[in-house]
Amino acid sequence: MADKEATVYIVDVGRSMGKKRNGRTESDLGWALTYVWDKITSTVALERKTATLGVIGLRTDGTANELEEEESFQNITVLQEIGQMLLPDLKVLRQKIKLSETNDGDAISAIIIAIQMITKYCKHLKYIRRIVLVTNAQGSIDGDGLPDITKKIKGEGIELLVVGVDFDDSEYGFKEEDKELRKLANEETLKSLTESCDGVFGTLQQAIEELGVPRLKSTRPVASYKGQLTLGDSVEYQTACCIDVERFPRTMIRRPLTASRFVQRSSTVNETGSAGSSVTLPDEDNLDTGPQADPNSLTLVRSTRTYQILDESAPGGKKDVEREQLAKGYEYGRTAVHISESDENVTKLETQAGLEIIGFIPWSSYERYMSMSVSSVVIGQKTNTKAIMALSSLIHALFELESYVVARLVPKADKSPVIVILAPSIEADYECLLDVQLPFAEDLRSYRFPPLDRVITLSGKNVKEHRNLPTDALRSAMSDYVDRMDLSTFGTDDEGNPAEYMPMTETYSPVLHRIDQAVRWRAVHPNEPVPPPYEILTRYSNPPNELVAYSKRHLEKLMMAANVKKVPPKVQSRKRNRNEVKPLSGLDLDSLLGKSTKKPKISPQNPIPEFRQALDKAEDTSSIRDAVAQLAAIIEGQIRDSFSDINYGRAVEEIGVMRDEMIEIEEPTVYDKFVKELKRKLLAGELGGDRREMWEEIRKNHLGLVEKRHLESSKVGEQEAKEVNFPFFTSAKGSYVYMWKLVHIY
């Protein structure tokens, strides 16, 4: 569970905060609110009831606090009591914080009220207590009684943070010239108070610059496995080694915020729901809070799903069925194998939780591509000294012998077992085993590629010098260029020594933090454009300019050695908007070589390139239809002559090319006619017997009819496309068979 927090923000809204100073385009208040809103919205985004905050307005036109009867506490208003802040509260607070018409109000008195609010809310419970004062110190500040205030702040364990507009800060390197004497005295008073209670005193410029540095979310460790690390069978043999261990995630992918679908709440929506398959459902407690209870007037959109089967007797040829009527089935060839719920346990492997050592391997036997998962850390049981010592002995033995452990892991009972590799890790303050999942035989993908250092001819001869092989000059130029682009020593540390340019601790996810920045900004400024991303998020998007300039000469040498040439630009042809490559010379090759007037023929040996060439030469629709007919005959011949599914892959590729080309030249009708005729022949067995598996391949690759959403000139609607693409599985039983792959009916 995360720590409980209570933070009170004191925002100076005095009349002097409305001025623009030191060449800024926004007022002191607008500049200060940039910092305040960022901090508040970050707390709201946590969605934790234990992350509470309150807001006090300093130098306000009115007075609203528990000590308002005393003169020294005038012009101080509690804008938000301490509590969890949600988006509706944030919008209300935004309306309350506005520039006042007075400069009266004491910052020290506001701090006293903040102390009282925290003391009253937190009582004697364990809280992280914090007061943040944002001011330009242009008002009156009474410095009497500072020792008592310091004693109270320390006694309550409150952290005081004072952020000032144009405050002098020698550590940051900022000093305001021609500062007013009153502001200078107020700064000294606030600085002495902050230092006496071990707080933080700084200038607003530095605080705003640090807003661009993403704040990393601290997470508490949650064990993924608690049990024993065993070597040998502890049930059969007393000599087996058992160590009580705990396993925690070491790395975990952090996902960005996800968007949900909402609709404006209205009586019409609540009564009838929205059109289509997504309808607005009532809350879980079946209570409609109404617009008054929800200031946003938004309600979550939840989706419902309907299941249909083909039924000629039903209206429209389809019949709706209930979820309970469906049975689970597994695809097996052209049929669906039904397994009832009572027999479903036969598909599960009964396992017991455990981490069992299978054996040991040397470091050299492990390849980095074998890592299948995020890493985890295995430590001895925290309260078991004996287990910690035993695991430490194993860790040191593995390190000295340069070996890894291969183990079988079952995190929980009846979970699927996985194979993991355990590596020793010895740091100055802790020791542990790091583990990642290893692949099974079925997980490996073995591919054979031609060698890069030689060319093997058809006769088996190895050729070392070839136009496709790099020369010694090219290797040397590439080596020099890589050396000049080295990032490992391009950066500098605090002492000016060479260091890594982009260390992992300073490299942040642009997508994650950009979305977070945009959401927080939009929550406070619903109608203003989102500002550009912070510089730190885009810093490493491109190589450093100094390094590019430093390596430019070597890049030119590399381009010369590699004989790099400019790619001819693609221009739009007048022939049905097809792209054609224009020669750099500008010559008309067709005129020079003599354009053939013969009707192009497509051969089964090279159908795809010749089909495209035929389309390039087509002058009218009849030529296009002729090219499609030739390719269709080749495809049908491949299916007819295919032994099992050997030729299905080639046929699917050719169908995909035909579909793409017809979409490009806006002739979807030609392709749709081909698909319908192909399905008819497959169903009728006219292409060498039962070839229904071929249609499944077409469906899986989404090569059905060209719908209107894919091409505007198409006349095929979604319903017609679904009917043509609908699969034709059969089941040996009379019950309906529900395929998990067919949740969305094609």
Side-chain angles (χ1 to χ4, degrees):
M1 182 178 177
D3 295 328
K4 293 184 287 187
E5 302 177 12
T7 305
V8 175
Y9 292 91
I10 304 174
V11 184
D12 190 347
V13 296
R15 184 174 57 189
S16 63
M17 291 286 288
K19 294 183 179 181
K20 301 177 182 179
R21 310 173 195 272
N22 296 327
R24 290 189 293 269
T25 58
E26 57 183 340
S27 64
D28 290 352
L29 179 60
W31 198 35
L33 287 179
T34 302
Y35 171 79
V36 173
W37 289 132
D38 187 273
K39 291 295 183 180
I40 292 178
T41 52
S42 298
T43 303
V44 174
L46 296 177
E47 298 183 16
R48 283 179 21 221
K49 292 183 178 180
T50 55
T52 59
L53 61 89
V55 181
I56 296 176
L58 171 62
R59 295 198 290 170
T60 57
D61 291 327
T63 303
N65 61 76
E66 292 186 356
L67 304 176
E68 60 184 13
E69 297 180 358
E70 300 184 24
E71 183 179 355
S72 58
F73 294 94
Q74 297 300 306
N75 300 105
I76 300 174
T77 303
V78 178
L79 304 176
Q80 171 76 31
E81 293 288 350
I82 298 179
Q84 182 188 11
M85 179 171 285
L86 303 176
L87 184 57
D89 305 319
L90 188 64
K91 293 183 177 181
V92 173
L93 179 63
R94 185 168 178 263
Q95 301 297 326
K96 293 181 178 180
I97 298 181
K98 55 185 178 180
L99 194 67
S100 69
E101 299 295 333
T102 181
N103 282 326
D104 297 334
D106 182 16
I108 301 297
S109 300
I111 293 176
I112 294 174
I113 295 175
I115 295 173
Q116 184 181 20
M117 291 173 61
I118 291 177
T119 304
K120 180 179 178 181
Y121 181 81
C122 300
K123 299 181 175 63
H124 297 291
L125 302 177
K126 184 179 179 181
Y127 270 85
I128 297 176
R129 311 174 188 207
R130 189 180 298 111
I131 296 176
V132 181
L133 170 62
V134 183
T135 179
N136 64 357
Q138 293 284 352
S140 60
I141 295 181
D142 185 3
D144 295 339
L146 291 185
D148 295 334
I149 297 174
T150 300
K151 182 179 179 180
K152 182 65 174 177
I153 290 176
K154 287 186 174 181
E156 294 293 336
I158 299 174
E159 177 188 2
L160 177 61
L161 174 61
V162 177
V163 181
V165 179
D166 298 326
F167 278 16
D168 296 341
D169 192 335
S170 58
E171 294 183 0
Y172 177 67
F174 177 82
K175 181 177 177 62
E176 185 182 18
E177 301 295 337
D178 301 327
K179 191 187 295 288
E180 298 180 10
L181 295 179
R182 182 174 61 176
K183 181 177 180 181
L184 183 62
N186 290 340
E187 283 188 29
E188 292 296 330
T189 301
L190 293 174
K191 186 174 183 180
S192 63
L193 173 63
T194 305
E195 292 177 348
S196 62
C197 59
D198 301 326
V200 179
F201 180 88
T203 184
L204 181 61
Q205 182 175 346
Q206 180 184 8
I208 290 180
E209 287 182 2
E210 293 179 351
L211 295 179
V213 180
R215 291 173 289 278
L216 301 183
K217 182 181 179 181
S218 59
T219 57
R220 288 183 174 271
V222 178
S224 58
Y225 170 75
K226 287 185 178 181
Q228 290 186 332
L229 172 64
T230 60
L231 176 59
D233 190 349
S234 59
V235 178
E236 296 290 337
Y237 305 100
Q238 296 181 354
T239 56
C241 176
C242 300
I243 305 174
D244 294 323
V245 297
E246 298 178 359
R247 181 173 181 261
F248 300 91
R250 180 63 177 269
T251 59
M252 188 72 68
I253 299 177
R254 182 180 171 186
R255 307 293 182 184
L257 293 173
T258 56
S260 301
R261 296 181 182 274
F262 293 87
V263 295
Q264 196 76 21
R265 186 187 296 273
S266 64
S267 58
T268 304
V269 172
N270 289 335
E271 292 173 4
T272 62
S274 58
S277 60
S278 295
V279 298
T280 305
L281 301 179
D283 297 333
E284 294 181 359
D285 53 3
N286 294 325
L287 294 177
D288 186 2
T289 55
Q292 295 181 351
D294 184 4
N296 293 315
S297 299
L298 296 178
T299 183
L300 181 64
V301 176
R302 302 179 185 175
S303 300
T304 58
R305 181 173 295 168
T306 59
Y307 302 89
Q308 295 179 331
I309 61 171
L310 294 177
D311 188 351
E312 296 181 356
S313 61
K318 295 181 181 179
K319 177 183 177 182
D320 291 343
V321 294
E322 298 295 332
R323 177 70 174 82
E324 292 74 16
Q325 294 180 264
L326 304 176
K328 194 173 182 179
Y330 294 87
E331 182 180 353
Y332 185 71
R334 299 187 304 274
T335 62
V337 177
H338 165 63
I339 297 180
S340 62
E341 294 184 4
S342 59
D343 296 334
E344 219 174 280
N345 59 347
V346 301
T347 63
K348 295 181 180 180
L349 182 65
E350 296 182 2
T351 57
Q352 296 296 328
L355 181 58
E356 304 170 359
I357 295 178
I358 299 175
F360 304 88
I361 60 172
W363 292 355
S364 58
S365 300
Y366 176 73
E367 300 291 346
R368 296 190 63 180
Y369 68 82
M370 295 181 180
S371 299
M372 290 276 292
S373 66
V374 297
S375 59
S376 298
V377 57
V378 178
I379 62 173
Q381 193 178 49
K382 296 179 181 179
T383 58
N384 192 335
T385 306
K386 185 178 179 180
I388 295 174
M389 293 298 294
L391 186 64
S392 177
S393 301
L394 176 61
I395 292 171
H396 281 270
L398 292 171
F399 186 81
E400 293 172 3
L401 297 176
E402 298 184 352
S403 299
Y404 293 144
V405 175
V406 178
R408 177 181 182 269
L409 171 65
V410 180
K412 295 181 181 179
D414 295 331
K415 290 287 186 179
S416 301
V418 295
I419 304 298
V420 297
I421 188 167
L422 303 169
S425 177
I426 301 176
E427 302 292 341
D429 52 349
Y430 72 94
E431 300 170 349
C432 66
L433 291 173
L434 299 176
D435 78 74
V436 292
Q437 183 180 341
L438 291 177
F440 289 106
E442 297 81 4
D443 300 323
L444 291 176
R445 298 291 184 268
S446 298
Y447 303 105
R448 298 189 65 181
F449 300 100
L452 299 177
D453 58 344
R454 64 188 185 278
V455 174
I456 303 177
T457 63
L458 294 176
S459 60
K461 182 181 178 180
N462 291 330
V463 179
K464 296 291 185 178
E465 295 183 2
H466 191 270
R467 60 184 179 85
N468 293 334
L469 296 178
T471 61
D472 293 339
L474 179 57
R475 291 194 186 95
S476 177
M478 178 61 76
S479 177
D480 293 341
Y481 179 67
V482 170
D483 291 339
R484 294 303 185 278
M485 291 293 291
D486 185 14
L487 295 175
S488 60
T489 57
F490 185 73
T492 55
D493 57 16
D494 296 336
E495 299 178 356
N497 300 321
E500 186 179 358
Y501 172 67
M502 46 183 302
M504 184 182 65
T505 54
E506 298 178 6
T507 308
Y508 303 96
S509 169
V511 174
L512 191 151
H513 295 290
R514 175 56 176 167
I515 293 177
D516 181 62
Q517 175 196 7
V519 171
R520 287 189 286 109
W521 176 270
R522 185 62 74 201
V524 182
H525 309 88
N527 300 319
E528 297 181 19
V530 178
Y534 295 125
E535 183 272 336
I536 196 171
L537 299 181
T538 59
R539 179 183 302 170
Y540 303 122
S541 299
N542 298 296
N545 296 329
E546 300 88 348
L547 199 61
V548 172
Y550 177 65
S551 59
K552 182 178 180 181
R553 182 170 59 88
H554 294 84
L555 177 60
E556 293 174 351
K557 289 184 178 180
L558 175 61
M559 295 173 62
M560 186 178 300
N563 193 23
V564 177
K565 296 180 180 179
K566 186 178 180 181
V567 178
K570 286 187 175 182
V571 298
Q572 289 293 328
S573 170
R574 295 182 180 178
K575 199 183 303 179
R576 298 188 176 272
N577 296 327
R578 293 182 55 80
N579 289 330
E580 61 180 12
V581 177
K582 182 179 180 181
L584 292 175
S585 61
L587 299 176
D588 188 353
L589 297 181
D590 288 338
S591 300
L592 293 175
L593 298 177
K595 189 173 181 181
S596 175
T597 57
K598 294 183 179 180
K599 181 173 158 183
K601 297 292 184 181
I602 303 175
S603 65
Q605 290 75 25
N606 196 26
I608 293 178
E610 293 179 2
F611 174 69
R612 286 173 171 159
Q613 292 173 6
L615 293 180
D616 289 336
K617 297 178 181 180
E619 297 291 345
D620 50 24
T621 307
S622 61
S623 302
I624 296 174
R625 295 181 184 275
D626 180 71
V628 171
Q630 291 186 58
L631 183 59
I634 294 173
I635 294 172
E636 293 177 359
Q638 290 173 345
I639 298 173
R640 185 183 297 106
D641 300 335
S642 175
F643 179 75
S644 185
D645 59 352
I646 291 179
N647 292 339
Y648 288 179
R650 292 180 57 190
V652 167
E653 182 183 7
E654 292 160 1
I655 294 173
V657 171
M658 182 193 295
R659 188 177 194 272
D660 294 340
E661 294 294 332
M662 292 301 103
I663 291 177
E664 184 177 351
I665 64 177
E666 298 187 359
E667 291 288 350
T669 308
V670 180
Y671 176 77
D672 294 342
K673 182 179 179 182
F674 158 75
V675 170
K676 293 178 180 178
E677 182 65 16
L678 179 62
K679 182 177 181 180
R680 185 193 66 77
K681 292 181 179 180
L682 291 174
L683 282 172
E686 298 178 7
L687 299 179
D690 191 352
R691 298 288 184 178
R692 288 184 290 180
E693 289 184 3
M694 177 60 196
W695 182 252
E696 278 304 301
E697 295 296 326
I698 295 174
R699 270 201 339 93
K700 290 176 184 178
N701 289 274
H702 306 287
L703 299 177
L705 302 183
V706 180
E707 300 180 35
K708 193 172 184 62
R709 59 189 176 96
H710 297 145
L711 184 63
E712 191 136 348
S713 59
S714 175
K715 299 180 181 179
V716 177
E718 182 179 0
Q719 188 64 26
E720 182 182 355
K722 286 182 178 180
E723 293 176 357
V724 174
N725 296 350
F726 196 81
F728 35 80
F729 279 106
T730 59
S731 175
K733 295 191 175 184
S735 60
Y736 305 125
V737 176
Y738 171 58
M739 296 298 297
W740 289 108
K741 293 176 60 179
L742 306 180
V743 172
H744 299 289
I745 299 176
Y746 290 89

